[in-house]
């Protein structure tokens, strides 16, 4: 077992952040001095579960966040602190409503079949003014700003600092770009085993926000922070492997995919509506999906449950042999619940040999009206209802699914209780 106390002495770590992610994607942590980490590594750090989004009561006993030593990341911008992803335990057992625990449960089910999910994420984010009112760069005004060299270099200090940290951490970053919206960026690093990527995804969001603040800016992964601009996606690349290192998605079928890959794809298609609730988890998410055209000319987000080849207008893209790209998730997706739900859907596809249907090699934004294709949910409530009705997907997520749906129904009710200025403007004189 990794000795965190010894590592602390060796690396000069004075404090540890013992961190877990709750059902709404909020990262919760306690700052633990290195002198106490040996006990925390065994017994965990105590939290009142009701104080986080875990569907607990104030009367419940404490939850214990037991850190995973393999997840340790020494903060590159504050090396005296080590970050640790933790698994939530309650009454002596892993707590099934905790997202990281839910992911590990689905991964264990797949491992029993010698199937191991690997995934990579394309995290898009905006650099904005600290008050959130506008993008941070007033000179970033191009109608088609994607890959804008000048705008990218005006934010070189922020992007280069984050990328350098990822290099030092061994993540294998390989490209950074200005994305399709003014003020928007994307940074890519190598894919890995699902749990490793999930931990890195969680840490990446923390790191980007922290570095932005150090530069007097603010970073947001909000799905649609500006109505006229392209939203923040979190496109997810997927493949399944054996323990021996064989890619189960690579084959001699169409576009270099195996029957296993197409069955997994069939699971994504078949469970897409319920999956949407998990990977598009906010009211705001549905202003990215099914959105009107943005100033750049395209939303780059799906609106139908379809798949194509190397075609970015579909929910699933097949960019290369041996992998799939799910373009549905957005920046609010929970780093742990997202791969858990994707894997649960894909496993069901493999187990039932699901047929994904016909590949559509058309521009869905232009020609979508010419084919019969199911539309994605139009709002959070519809998506949550689909998740609750999907026994396979909800069952795959276990107790986390019902707790998540409960919180999301409450979020929808709160949203519906708001009276907007648009309603007053359009209805006051009805």
């Amino acid at each position: 077992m990794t000795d965190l106390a010894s590592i602390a002495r060796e690396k000069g770590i004075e404090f540890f952040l013992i961190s877990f992610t709750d059902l709404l994607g909020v990262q919760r942590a306690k700052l633990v001095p290195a002198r106490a980490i040996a006990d925390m590594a065994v017994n965990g750090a105590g939290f009142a579960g009701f104080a986080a989004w875990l569907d607990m009561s104030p009367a419940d006993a404490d939850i214990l966040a037991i850190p995973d030593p393999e997840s340790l990341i020494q903060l590159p911008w504050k090396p005296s602190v080590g970050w640790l992803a933790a698994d939530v335990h309650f009454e002596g057992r892993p707590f099934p409503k905790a997202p990281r625990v839910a992911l590990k449960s689905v991964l264990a089910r797949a491992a029993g079949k010698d199937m191991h999910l690997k995934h990579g994420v394309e995290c898009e984010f905006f650099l904005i003014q600290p008050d959130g009112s506008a993008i941070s760069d007033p000179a970033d005004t191009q109608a088609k700003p994607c890959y804008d060299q000048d705008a990218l270099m005006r934010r070189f200090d922020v992007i280069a600092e984050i990328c350098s940290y990822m290099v030092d951490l061994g993540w294998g970053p390989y490209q950074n770009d200005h994305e399709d919206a003014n003020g928007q960026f994307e940074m890519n690093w190598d894919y890995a085993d699902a749990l490793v990527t999930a931990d890195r995804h969680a840490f990446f969001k923390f790191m980007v926000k922290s570095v932005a603040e150090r530069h007097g800016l603010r970073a947001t992964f909000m799905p649609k922070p500006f109505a006229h601009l392209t939203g923040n996606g979190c496109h997810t690349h997927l493949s399944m492997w054996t323990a021996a290192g064989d890619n189960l998605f690579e084959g001699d079928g169409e576009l270099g995919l195996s029957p296993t890959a197409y069955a997994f794809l069939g699971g994504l298609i078949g469970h897409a509506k319920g999956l949407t609730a998990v990977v598009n988890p906010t009211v705001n998410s549905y202003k990215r999906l099914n959105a009107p055209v943005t100033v750049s000319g395209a939303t780059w987000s799906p609106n139908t449950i379809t798949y194509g080849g190397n075609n970015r207008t579909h929910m699933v893209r097949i960019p290369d042999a041996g992998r799939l790209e799910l373009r549905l998730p957005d920046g609010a997706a929970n780093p742990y619940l997202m791969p858990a739900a994707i894997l649960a859907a894909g496993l069901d596809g493999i187990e039932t040999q699901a047929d994904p249907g016909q590949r559509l090699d058309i521009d869905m934004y232009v020609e979508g009206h010419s084919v019969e294709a199911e539309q994605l949910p139009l709002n959070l409530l519809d998506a949550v209802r689909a998740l609750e009705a999907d026994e396979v997907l909800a069952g795959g997520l276990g107790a986390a699914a019902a707790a998540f749906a409960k919180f999301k129904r409450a979020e929808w009710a709160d949203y519906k209780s708001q009276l907007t200025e648009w309603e007053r403007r359009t209805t006051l004189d009805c």
Side-chain angles (χ1 to χ4, degrees):
M1 182 177 177
T2 303
D3 185 344
L4 290 172
S6 296
I7 290 175
R9 289 191 293 270
E10 175 189 337
K11 295 183 176 293
I13 296 174
E14 299 173 9
F15 292 91
F16 289 89
L17 277 171
I18 297 181
S19 175
F20 70 90
T21 300
D22 68 20
L23 284 162
L24 296 195
V26 181
Q27 293 188 47
R28 312 285 182 169
K30 282 197 171 179
L31 188 63
V32 174
R35 61 174 294 279
I37 195 61
D39 176 67
M40 297 290 176
V42 175
N43 299 312
F47 295 77
F50 180 72
W53 298 109
L54 289 173
D55 192 28
M56 300 187 76
S57 160
D60 286 327
D62 280 359
I63 56 171
L64 296 171
I66 299 179
D68 181 348
E70 299 304 314
S71 71
L72 174 63
I73 297 174
Q74 193 168 3
L75 301 194
W77 64 94
K78 195 178 288 292
S80 62
V81 179
W83 180 90
L84 289 160
D87 290 321
V88 175
H89 285 63
F90 180 62
E91 296 182 337
R93 295 183 299 276
F95 188 54
K97 295 178 184 179
R100 196 174 193 266
V101 172
L103 173 58
K104 290 176 75 172
S105 177
V106 186
L107 290 172
R109 181 179 146 210
K113 305 173 184 295
D114 193 21
M115 293 182 176
H116 306 268
L117 177 67
K118 293 179 184 285
H119 79 290
V121 289
E122 299 178 2
C123 295
E124 296 172 345
F125 59 92
F126 283 83
L127 291 175
I128 59 176
Q129 298 288 348
D131 66 359
S133 61
I135 64 170
S136 65
D137 180 2
D140 189 349
T141 58
Q142 282 208 46
K144 281 187 175 290
C146 203
Y147 315 125
D148 182 342
Q149 179 174 271
D150 293 338
L152 175 63
M153 291 308 292
R154 283 197 296 272
R155 287 290 170 259
F156 174 84
D157 290 349
V158 177
I159 301 302
E161 182 176 340
I162 297 166
C163 187
S164 296
Y165 290 158
M166 289 194 286
V167 171
D168 294 342
L169 292 171
W171 290 13
Y174 55 89
Q175 62 183 16
N176 312 287
D177 67 77
H178 187 293
E179 265 299 320
D180 192 64
N182 306 109
Q184 186 184 47
F185 300 86
E186 179 180 300
M187 308 182 72
N188 303 128
W189 69 91
D190 288 345
Y191 72 95
D193 290 336
L195 187 62
V196 172
T197 292
D199 287 338
R200 289 176 177 175
H201 185 183
F203 185 82
F204 178 77
K205 295 180 77 170
F206 169 51
M207 177 166 60
V208 169
K209 293 174 183 178
S210 298
V211 173
E213 286 180 2
R214 283 162 50 85
H215 288 266
L217 305 175
R218 184 175 181 179
T220 179
F221 295 83
M222 182 179 177
K224 190 77 166 177
F226 303 103
H228 65 297
L229 299 178
T230 306
N232 283 324
C234 185
H235 306 146
T236 305
H237 292 257
L238 307 159
S239 52
M240 292 280 273
W241 299 68
T242 67
D246 298 317
N247 184 353
L248 293 169
F249 278 13
E250 196 165 6
D252 54 7
E254 287 189 349
L255 304 182
L257 295 184
S258 68
T260 298
Y262 276 106
F264 189 101
L265 174 57
L268 296 180
I269 296 292
H271 296 288
K273 290 186 177 181
L275 183 62
T276 302
V278 178
V279 303
N280 304 104
T282 71
V283 166
N284 179 257
S285 295
Y286 299 84
K287 297 184 178 179
R288 169 184 169 264
L289 297 182
N290 303 300
V293 174
T294 61
V295 293
S296 71
T299 66
W300 300 104
S301 61
N303 49 39
T304 51
I305 304 172
T306 57
Y307 77 97
N310 197 348
N311 182 331
R312 289 180 169 86
T313 66
H314 294 271
M315 186 186 83
V316 180
R317 177 171 76 115
I318 303 173
D320 202 355
R323 63 187 168 108
L324 305 171
E325 179 194 27
L326 181 64
R327 297 180 59 79
L328 184 59
D330 64 38
N334 189 300
Y336 300 98
L337 284 184
M338 179 181 74
I342 289 170
L343 181 54
L347 279 178
D348 183 62
I350 292 171
E351 290 165 359
T352 62
Q353 288 298 291
D355 181 358
Q358 179 185 1
R359 187 179 79 240
L360 296 176
D361 294 318
I362 62 173
D363 182 341
M364 287 301 293
Y365 298 157
V366 176
E367 304 172 76
H369 65 277
S370 68
V371 296
E372 289 188 12
E374 280 198 272
Q375 192 171 32
L376 288 163
L378 294 174
N379 57 60
L380 180 62
L381 181 61
D382 286 349
V384 170
R385 285 171 171 165
L387 173 62
E388 291 173 322
D390 190 329
E391 295 180 2
V392 169
L393 191 56
L397 291 174
F404 174 83
K406 173 184 174 181
F407 288 140
K408 290 301 163 181
R409 279 184 172 273
E411 181 178 323
W412 178 260
D414 183 39
Y415 168 67
K416 293 298 290 182
S417 71
Q418 305 303 311
L419 181 64
T420 67
E421 184 55 36
W422 179 90
E423 291 171 274
R424 293 183 58 81
R425 186 174 69 251
T426 60
T427 319
L428 198 61
D429 294 320
C430 64

